[in-house]
Amino acid sequence: MTVLDDWVTAACAELDLDPAEVSVPTVLDLARDVAHQVLRPGAPVTAYLLGVAVGRGADPAAAAARLSGLAAQWPVELGGERPDRPADGPSDAGPEAPPAG
């Protein structure tokens, strides 16, 4: 078992959930998609939203696929991050300060 497996098992026990019903790869893939294509802080928020949807009866894999699809189509002009956009491009913190001179 990995540390992540241990954590998921302990967290599930704390919340009275069955660890066998938790698809860790699905959640991690969704978090990666949102973090890379929308905004890093959106990853845990989206994981929470997925949990709320699943708690209300949504199929976990289908809901995750819908959210990943939404992230993949998120417009760059709304802050979406794309692998083809330079890493040193505009950040979420706003415009960069002019160089000290």
Side-chain angles (χ1 to χ4, degrees):
M1 284 185 77
T2 67
V3 173
L4 181 57
D5 293 331
D6 292 341
W7 167 251
V8 170
T9 299
C12 283
E14 188 69 23
L15 298 173
D16 198 27
L17 299 172
D18 180 0
E21 294 178 4
V22 177
S23 176
V24 173
T26 298
V27 175
L28 292 177
D29 287 348
L30 173 59
R32 178 204 59 223
D33 292 346
V34 172
H36 290 210
Q37 298 169 347
V38 181
L39 184 72
R40 281 185 204 95
V45 174
T46 304
Y48 173 80
L49 294 172
L50 175 66
V52 170
V54 170
R56 292 182 177 176
D59 174 78
R66 289 175 58 193
L67 291 170
S68 287
L70 179 63
Q73 296 176 13
W74 197 251
V76 172
E77 57 272 8
L78 291 180
E81 299 174 7
R82 294 287 187 264
D84 57 337
R85 189 162 96 183
D88 60 347
S91 72
D92 301 319
E96 293 183 25

